[in-house]
Amino acid sequence: MIDDRNDKIRDRAYAIWQREGGAHGDHERHWHQAAMEIDREAALPLTADDALPQTREIASTDVLEVEQLAVRTGISGDEAQDLIDRLGADRAATEQAARSLKAKRKS
């Protein structure tokens, strides 16, 4: 079980390294980021059928999208999930709605 986790972390860290351009020197950060992602995914429901209808939790494939929207725009994860649920795959509309939501709160 530990070897399987380490293999997943190693593969994810490598993917992060590649995505960031393959520069050397950040291997520890890549490893820690990969470990956090793998552990977070392991705590999510196993299938989409287990997720939305009963618990309002999101499927594991959508977690990163929701978190990235929340971080990029400064809104909460719940607000990000609501926007994605309402606006779907239209990233530009979702980003604009999220930024508008944050601006309304500041006013």
Side-chain angles (χ1 to χ4, degrees):
M1 189 79 153
I2 291 174
D3 288 339
D4 185 45
R5 179 177 178 270
N6 284 337
D7 290 343
K8 289 179 182 179
I9 293 170
R10 182 176 31 259
D11 292 344
R12 181 72 57 92
Y14 181 72
I16 293 167
W17 174 74
Q18 284 184 313
R19 186 174 59 233
E20 293 183 0
H24 294 284
D26 284 335
H27 62 278
E28 287 184 25
R29 182 179 59 81
H30 295 150
W31 183 271
H32 291 294
Q33 180 180 343
M36 287 187 328
E37 290 176 9
I38 295 297
D39 291 343
R40 183 179 25 205
E41 289 169 6
L44 294 172
L46 296 177
T47 67
D49 292 337
D50 294 336
L52 284 175
Q54 297 86 14
T55 64
R56 286 224 5 103
E57 293 174 354
I58 53 179
S60 61
T61 55
D62 299 328
V63 169
L64 295 177
E65 181 180 349
V66 171
E67 287 181 357
Q68 289 170 352
L69 176 63
V71 168
R72 276 194 315 272
T73 59
I75 62 175
S76 74
D78 289 338
E79 291 169 325
Q81 179 63 53
D82 288 342
L83 289 176
I84 289 172
D85 288 344
R86 277 192 290 127
L87 301 174
D90 187 346
R91 184 174 178 164
T94 306
E95 293 277 339
Q96 184 176 8
R99 293 186 195 291
S100 294
L101 182 63
K102 184 177 181 190
K104 282 182 187 177
R105 273 193 270 143
K106 286 185 176 181
S107 301

